[in-house]
């Protein structure tokens, strides 16, 4: 028995390799492989940015492409006119109109420059650049409102931006683009994903409002026990946690759409950066974006100051100002481009185009709403955290109801990945209904008190004093 056991051990020993790698050797080889892959990715990105082995684009050719990139570029003449009106302090109404018209071509140049940079930076980095530049106006307005501690107005603007891109812009596009066809098609895969992302973002706004309503109902003394600095501290923690989670959802969706499993059509669309050719030199594009950012920053700041004066003189309510006016200004370029594109396609079909417009740009305005609610809204919250401003994701019930109803309606309209002009008219009509109610809505006092930059107790005292005087 002992001899047999010894022979079995010898046979097993002969099967083992003479020099098996140690754990330290495996770890070091893994680090080497990771370092090599990172270097290869860096070299690939550098070659793509510098266009190694590809023809270069000249400066004059790039400037010509920028000038002809959009019909809205003719509005650039309003930029010096708006600056002149600001420095000479002439009529505020005229300055408002000129700033409004000047922002439209600047926002369009942001979008064009972002798409051009995607050819040099790849799909992943390019999408982040496009998202950041498409929302440059909103980011500028948000920073201005944060510095002035207009937190409730900023909240109303957030909801207004979402509702505008869910109802008015796609509704108008569906009406104008579908006037001569039975229906228009959306990408079914993207529509299903958009439904999930949009619903997740909107329901994230519903949860804090529901929690706030429940603790107010459970308070022994009614609303007074639930409105305090301690309660605001709880909601600040909830807000910061929600912001981080929403950003995670957004980046995970980017990863999925960048490399979707089993969807050959989407994968082909994601490879467009490697197949297409840019129209603008990368260095000219960067210089154009830097100049445009500077022009946008000053013009947006003067626009906000002008609108505040007009709101005070015209007796415009804060809710209507935030839900309707500011979003219309910030997204004027996107809305105008969408409408012009849809009308152009409709006219081409009316005058005998052989192929009807069945694909309507994959509902780009709805995509902007999803990007704003999952990326820019959490980003603004984290920025307010860094600036020590008590911005909450606690919206009043009317604003939450508006966002939820808009989400429900647009998901229902695009559920079958097809739209028509009648459904577009319904979206526009519902947006007008929201605008009518917003004109008379004065806001929820408890939310105003929770969003003050001072203490909540001081805000309650100030509100009660103003009420007694009134």
């Amino acid at each position: 028995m002992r001899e047999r056991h010894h022979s079995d051990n010898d046979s097993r020993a002969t099967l083992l390799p003479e020099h098996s790698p140690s754990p330290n050797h495996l770890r070091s080889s893994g680090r080497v492989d990771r370092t090599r892959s990172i270097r290869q990715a860096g070299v690939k990105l550098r070659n793509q940015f510098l266009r190694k082995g590809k023809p270069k684009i000249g400066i004059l050719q790039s400037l010509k492409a920028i000038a002809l990139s959009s019909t809205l570029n003719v509005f650039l003449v309003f930029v010096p006119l708006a600056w002149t009106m600001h420095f000479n302090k002439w009529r505020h109404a005229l300055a408002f109109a000129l700033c409004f018209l000047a922002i439209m071509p600047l926002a369009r140049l942001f979008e064009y420059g972002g798409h051009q940079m995607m050819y040099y930076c790849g799909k992943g980095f390019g999408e982040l650049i496009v998202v950041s530049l498409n929302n440059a106006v909103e980011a500028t307005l948000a920073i201005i409102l944060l510095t002035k501690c207009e937190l409730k107005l900023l909240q109303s603007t957030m909801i207004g931006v979402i509702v505008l891109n869910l109802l008015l812009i796609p509704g108008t596009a569906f009406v104008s683009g579908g006037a001569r066809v039975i229906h228009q098609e959306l990408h079914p895969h993207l529509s299903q994903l958009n439904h999930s992302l949009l619903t997740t973002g909107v329901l994230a706004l519903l949860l804090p409002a529901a929690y706030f309503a429940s603790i107010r109902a459970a308070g022994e003394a009614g609303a007074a026990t639930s409105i305090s600095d301690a309660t605001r501290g709880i909601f600040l923690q909830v807000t910061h946690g929600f912001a981080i989670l929403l950003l995670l959802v957004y980046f995970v969706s980017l990863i999925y759409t960048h490399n979707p499993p089993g969807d050959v059509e989407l994968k082909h669309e994601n490879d467009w950066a490697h197949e297409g050719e840019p129209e603008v030199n990368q260095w000219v594009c960067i210089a154009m974006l830097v100049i445009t950012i500077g022009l946008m920053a000053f013009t947006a700041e003067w626009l906000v100051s002008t609108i505040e004066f007009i709101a005070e003189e015209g007796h415009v309510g804060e809710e209507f100002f935030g839900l309707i006016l500011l979003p219309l200004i910030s997204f004027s370029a996107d809305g105008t481009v969408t409408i012009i594109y849809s009308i152009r396609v409709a006219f081409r079909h009316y005058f005998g185009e052989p192929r009807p417009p069945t694909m309507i740009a994959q509902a780009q305005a709805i995509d902007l709403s999803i990007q704003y609610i999952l990326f820019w809204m959490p980003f603004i919250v984290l920025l307010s955290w860094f600036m020590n401003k008590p911005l909450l994701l606690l919206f009043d019930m009317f604003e939450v109801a508006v966002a939820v109803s808009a989400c429900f309606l647009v998901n229902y309209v695009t559920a079958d990945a097809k739209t028509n002009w009648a459904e577009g008219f319904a979206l526009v009509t519902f947006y007008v209904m929201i605008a009518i109610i917003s004109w008379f809505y004065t806001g929820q006092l408890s939310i105003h008190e929770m969003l003050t930059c001072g203490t909540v107790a001081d805000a309650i005292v100030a509100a009660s004093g103003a009420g007694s005087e009134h």
Side-chain angles (χ1 to χ4, degrees):
M1 294 294 293
R2 293 180 179 176
E3 294 177 356
R4 182 178 180 181
H5 184 269
H6 180 71
S7 62
D8 291 342
N9 292 337
D10 293 341
S11 63
R12 294 172 183 171
T14 56
L15 295 176
L16 296 174
E18 296 181 1
H19 301 286
S20 60
S22 63
N24 294 331
H25 177 73
L26 292 175
R27 285 194 295 269
S28 61
S29 62
R31 287 194 295 268
V32 171
D33 293 338
R34 286 193 297 270
T35 303
R36 185 182 298 111
S37 62
I38 293 174
R39 290 179 178 176
Q40 292 176 353
V43 172
K44 181 179 179 181
L45 182 61
R46 183 185 62 185
N47 292 338
Q48 183 178 4
F49 181 80
L50 298 177
R51 292 181 59 82
K52 292 289 187 179
K54 296 183 179 180
K56 306 297 182 180
I57 302 176
I59 297 178
L60 294 179
Q61 182 181 355
S62 301
L63 296 177
K64 181 180 178 181
I66 293 174
L68 301 177
S69 61
S70 175
T71 55
L72 290 179
N73 287 341
V74 297
F75 285 8
L76 288 173
V77 68
F78 293 110
V79 174
L81 294 178
W83 285 40
T84 302
M85 292 293 297
H86 171 77
F87 287 112
N88 289 279
K89 301 186 183 299
W90 291 343
R91 297 182 58 183
H92 292 279
L94 184 57
F96 162 77
L98 292 177
C99 290
F100 180 88
L101 295 174
I103 283 180
M104 295 173 62
L106 296 177
R108 185 58 177 169
L109 287 177
F110 280 136
E111 181 181 356
Y112 179 74
H115 283 289
Q116 291 299 309
M117 290 305 298
M118 291 182 70
Y119 290 102
Y120 299 102
C121 300
K123 183 70 174 178
F125 291 109
E127 284 184 343
L128 292 178
I129 295 174
V130 170
V131 171
S132 302
L133 295 176
N134 279 347
N135 293 279
V137 181
E138 293 71 38
T140 304
L141 293 175
I143 294 174
I144 294 173
L145 294 175
L146 275 177
T147 54
K148 296 184 177 181
C149 208
E150 296 286 349
L151 302 184
K152 187 62 186 73
L153 181 59
L154 176 57
Q155 273 195 346
S156 301
T157 306
M158 290 178 178
I159 298 296
V161 168
I162 297 170
V163 172
L164 177 77
N165 285 277
L166 289 180
L167 299 177
L168 182 61
I169 295 180
T172 308
F174 296 161
V175 169
S176 58
R180 294 286 300 174
V181 294
I182 298 177
H183 65 266
Q184 296 169 306
E185 296 180 358
L186 306 173
H187 197 295
H189 192 121
L190 292 177
S191 297
Q192 295 171 5
L193 178 61
N194 286 352
H195 292 166
S196 302
L197 296 176
L198 182 60
T199 305
T200 301
V202 171
L203 292 182
L205 307 181
L206 177 61
L207 292 178
Y211 175 61
F212 183 68
S214 65
I215 63 175
R216 291 193 68 191
E220 296 179 357
T225 58
S226 60
I227 304 174
S228 63
D229 292 289
T231 304
R232 185 171 69 175
I234 295 175
F235 278 98
L236 281 174
Q237 297 179 27
V238 172
T239 297
H240 300 157
F242 275 31
I244 296 174
L245 293 175
L246 289 175
L247 285 175
L248 289 177
V249 172
Y250 176 74
F251 286 116
V252 168
S253 67
L254 282 183
I255 295 174
Y256 176 80
T257 54
H258 180 69
N259 188 21
D263 198 324
V264 179
E265 183 177 355
L266 277 179
K267 290 180 179 179
H268 177 72
E269 292 174 1
N270 288 338
D271 292 336
W272 71 273
H274 300 285
E275 299 175 358
E277 292 294 331
E279 301 175 351
V280 181
N281 181 280
Q282 64 269 43
W283 304 113
V284 176
C285 187
I286 292 174
M288 182 267 292
L289 290 175
V290 171
I291 296 174
T292 308
I293 289 173
L295 295 176
M296 174 66 74
F298 289 105
T299 308
E301 182 178 358
W302 299 333
L303 179 65
V304 169
S305 60
T306 305
I307 295 176
E308 288 178 352
F309 177 83
I310 294 177
E312 293 176 359
E313 294 295 326
H315 304 287
V316 180
E318 185 180 55
E319 289 294 328
F320 184 82
F321 184 67
L323 286 173
I324 305 300
L325 290 184
L326 272 181
L328 284 174
I329 295 168
S330 61
F331 273 90
S332 57
D334 296 304
T336 304
V337 170
T338 303
I339 294 171
I340 290 176
Y341 169 80
S342 302
I343 293 176
R344 183 187 303 169
V345 173
F347 269 99
R348 287 178 179 176
H349 175 61
Y350 182 82
F351 287 108
E353 284 286 339
R355 187 175 182 178
T358 56
M359 184 66 70
I360 186 166
Q362 300 179 357
Q364 293 179 357
I366 300 175
D367 293 339
L368 285 176
S369 289
I370 296 172
Q371 293 170 354
Y372 191 83
I373 197 172
L374 294 182
F375 178 79
W376 279 103
M377 183 180 292
F379 175 80
I380 293 170
V381 168
L382 296 180
L383 180 62
S384 67
W385 188 11
F386 176 78
M387 297 173 63
N388 198 23
K389 304 290 185 180
L391 178 62
L392 305 174
L393 289 181
L394 174 62
F395 297 83
D396 62 37
M397 277 300 179
F398 173 73
E399 294 173 345
V400 173
V402 166
V404 172
S405 57
C407 172
F408 170 78
L409 182 58
V410 75
N411 281 351
Y412 190 83
V413 168
T414 59
D416 57 352
K418 297 178 181 179
T419 63
N420 53 63
W421 69 269
E423 291 177 333
F425 183 77
L427 294 178
V428 175
T429 302
F430 190 70
Y431 183 82
V432 175
M433 294 178 183
I434 295 174
I436 293 174
I437 299 178
S438 300
W439 178 263
F440 300 98
Y441 184 64
T442 58
Q444 191 173 342
L445 180 60
S446 58
I447 304 299
H448 279 269
E449 295 170 348
M450 294 282 284
L451 290 173
T452 181
C453 284
T455 63
V456 177
D458 293 340
I460 295 175
V461 172
S464 61
S468 62
E469 292 178 1
H470 178 74

